[in-house]
Amino acid sequence: MLCNPDNVMHNSITLRRGLDLQLSGRVADNAPTVEVTPNSIAIVPDDFTGLTPKVVVKPGEKVVAGQPIIVDKNNTDIAVVSPVGGTVSEVVRGERRKVLRVVIAVEQQSEAPAADTTPIAPKDPASIRKSLMSSGVWAMMRQLPYDIVPDPSATPRDIFITTFDSAPLAAPILTGIDADDSTMAAGLKALLQLTPGNIYIGVRTADLSNPWIEEAAKMDRVCVTEFAGKHPAGLPSIQAALQAPVNKGETVWLTDAETLSRIGSVVKTGACSWSTLVALTGSEVETPCMIRTIIGAEIGSLISGRLKKADHHLRIISGNVLTGWKTSAEGFLRYPYRHITVIPEGDDVDEFMGWASMSPKKMSENRSFLSKLFGRKNFSPDARLNGGRRAMIMSGQYEKVMPTDIMPEQLIKAILSRDIDRMEALGIYEVTPADFALCEYIDPSKLELQKIVRQGLDYLRKELS
């Protein structure tokens, strides 16, 4: 852990438990970056858990980049803004008029018009909070407990920033950042004004020599920690749990280096870029590549002409195979906007012996499978469940991939029984749904663990608010 010069030390944390899925379709180091301007983008309220969305634009209305599209009904200062200039083409609603997405047709021009912006006072916490909320960057952060958009009335004990993504086939976060070192430093200085505690930056070994990270390590109350080991090493919630776990009554914030760059840009100029670098990966992609586009871009424009010709069904995932959203070519890039994975669906496969097949091409962590015994790598799995859902089995499997010291099986049982006291005792305040993605992957009961955890967090927040 690299801290300020008065207390320089080196501390690395190695995760002894976790799992890296060896999938085919990774972006090569020398792969080209493709520029794609989508015809439309969408803002999806479900991406911003904790916000009660209120749409403040109407279909047919012209908008500019940085203009609020959705605000929080409980705190209208928190906005989700348009990343582009264009026209609101539709506001899609579901049951009980729930807002599913707001679609904006992009104006095909070299530079979209932007809302009026001004730099902010870097040492004024109230000004920083207000600007981050109105600029749309606030909604990109998360808080523990509950894994929601931060509550502006709460002061975070600490802030945790991850600089890498350890999920399957994910591309490096730092590669997609086009901000300079001074912008990153401005973001850190602004966040330091919002917490009386520390800012923890989680890095891989190769990133320790990054200039802005070296400078960050010299700042007071900034600690740079090297993480080694398998996924979920890159999750800021896991990094928080391994360094300074959150307790009842405390609040911490979680974010990543890309959001930090946007915070720094807002501090310096009053606005930020909403472009992002997306990894198009998976076994069904002809040539996996990086795509520079706009957050919320339509999927069709990003995958057009880049998939293999296939006579079987495909699953398009906005995100990685563990935590991403199932979508289609008509769908849109979902938060955190950095990844698209395309794999076979598997619903049209007629396989001898099904999930019990001994084929060495079948991916599994179970040692009874030949692929595990032979150490095969670069699998091309499909999206089949491979077995039916059944009653929860206390098998001890979850602990094999959960790197923190919580007891995941017992916590899941407490959530299912809505036992608040036991949930608190078992550490629910320090977890997010993504922490259980690997548990869900290896679960012999085929339970939707991420959904269960999300429901448990929502229930707890409702009961205790």
Side-chain angles (χ1 to χ4, degrees), residues 408-429:
E409 289 183 338
Q410 288 80 354
L411 178 55
I412 291 295
K413 291 186 68 176
I415 293 173
L416 290 172
S417 62
R418 295 295 187 261
D419 186 338
I420 292 179
D421 290 339
R422 187 145 179 79
M423 282 191 276
E424 291 180 336
L426 290 168
I428 194 171
Y429 291 119

Side-chain angles (χ1 to χ4, degrees), residues 19-23 230 358-379:
L19 179 63
D20 285 336
L21 302 185
Q22 303 296 332
L23 306 182
K230 301 176 181 180
M358 297 297 291
S359 170
K361 296 182 179 180
K362 188 174 292 294
M363 183 176 70
S364 177
E365 270 303 290
N366 194 308
R367 292 182 180 275
S368 63
F369 281 76
L370 294 177
S371 57
K372 181 65 175 178
L373 295 175
F374 296 158
R376 178 185 170 90
K377 295 184 178 181
N378 296 331
F379 294 90

Side-chain angles (χ1 to χ4, degrees), residues 48-366:
F48 308 98
T49 307
L51 252 61
T52 304
K54 176 183 177 182
V55 181
V56 293
V57 293
K58 298 179 180 179
E61 182 177 339
K62 290 278 188 179
V63 296
V64 296
Q67 178 178 335
I69 301 298
I70 293 172
V71 298
D72 184 11
K73 286 183 180 179
N74 300 319
N75 189 331
T76 55
D77 289 336
I78 301 178
V80 180
V81 304
S82 173
V84 294
T87 303
V88 178
S89 59
E90 59 179 335
V91 178
V92 181
R93 296 181 181 270
E95 296 181 1
R96 304 179 67 178
R97 292 190 57 76
K98 175 184 177 180
V99 180
L100 300 181
R101 60 185 177 274
V102 179
V103 183
I104 301 172
V106 179
E107 291 186 353
Q108 299 296 328
Q109 53 187 32
S110 58
E111 186 174 350
D116 293 335
T117 55
T118 55
I120 61 179
K123 294 187 178 181
D124 180 6
S127 176
I128 293 171
R129 282 176 176 264
K130 185 175 181 180
S131 293
L132 294 184
M133 286 189 283
S134 62
S135 68
V137 179
W138 187 278
M140 300 292 178
M141 298 188 289
R142 294 293 178 267
Q143 80 159 44
L144 291 180
Y146 309 128
D147 189 35
I148 58 174
V149 172
D151 179 359
S153 66
T155 299
R157 185 205 68 197
D158 298 304
I159 299 174
F160 296 85
I161 303 171
T162 185
T163 64
F164 66 98
D165 190 344
S166 58
L169 301 180
I173 295 177
L174 295 180
T175 302
I177 297 175
D178 54 8
D180 56 28
D181 296 344
S182 64
T183 300
M184 303 298 285
L188 280 173
K189 291 176 182 177
L191 290 180
L192 283 169
Q193 298 297 316
L194 302 182
T195 177
N198 297 326
I199 292 180
Y200 295 87
I201 304 177
V203 303
R204 287 296 201 191
T205 304
D207 298 326
L208 286 170
S209 58
N210 188 294
W212 77 263
I213 293 176
E214 289 183 335
E215 288 301 313
K218 299 176 183 178
M219 295 183 185
D220 187 32
R221 296 193 291 124
V222 175
C223 298
V224 179
T225 306
E226 173 193 359
F227 282 87
K230 301 176 181 180
H231 185 65
L235 294 181
S237 54
I238 294 295
Q239 295 176 10
L242 294 175
Q243 295 178 92
V246 61
N247 300 306
K248 184 177 182 179
E250 297 177 336
T251 297
V252 301
W253 290 355
L254 312 174
T255 189
D256 56 41
E258 187 173 27
T259 302
L260 176 65
S261 71
R262 293 192 174 108
I263 293 172
S265 182
V266 170
V267 171
K268 292 179 66 176
T269 68
C272 64
S273 169
W274 296 107
S275 70
T276 187
L277 197 61
V278 179
L280 178 58
T281 67
S283 59
E284 297 300 312
V285 178
E286 185 68 42
T287 305
C289 63
M290 303 300 297
I291 302 175
R292 174 67 67 177
T293 188
I294 305 295
I295 67 171
E298 58 183 355
I299 297 291
S301 63
L302 305 181
I303 65 174
S304 178
R306 297 185 175 90
L307 303 185
K308 296 178 180 178
K309 294 182 179 179
D311 56 2
H312 53 268
H313 301 158
L314 303 181
R315 173 166 292 196
I316 302 171
I317 304 169
S318 180
N320 63 72
V321 295
L322 294 174
T323 62
W325 299 80
K326 179 182 176 181
T327 185
S328 66
E330 290 73 40
F332 295 87
L333 194 61
R334 301 288 294 272
Y335 177 84
Y337 312 115
R338 291 194 301 264
H339 199 177
I340 297 174
T341 311
V342 187
I343 61 175
E345 181 66 54
D347 59 348
D348 50 355
V349 173
D350 185 13
E351 183 181 24
F352 176 67
M353 294 182 66
W355 65 268
S357 167
M358 297 297 291
S359 170
K361 296 182 179 180
K362 188 174 292 294
M363 183 176 70
S364 177
E365 270 303 290
N366 194 308

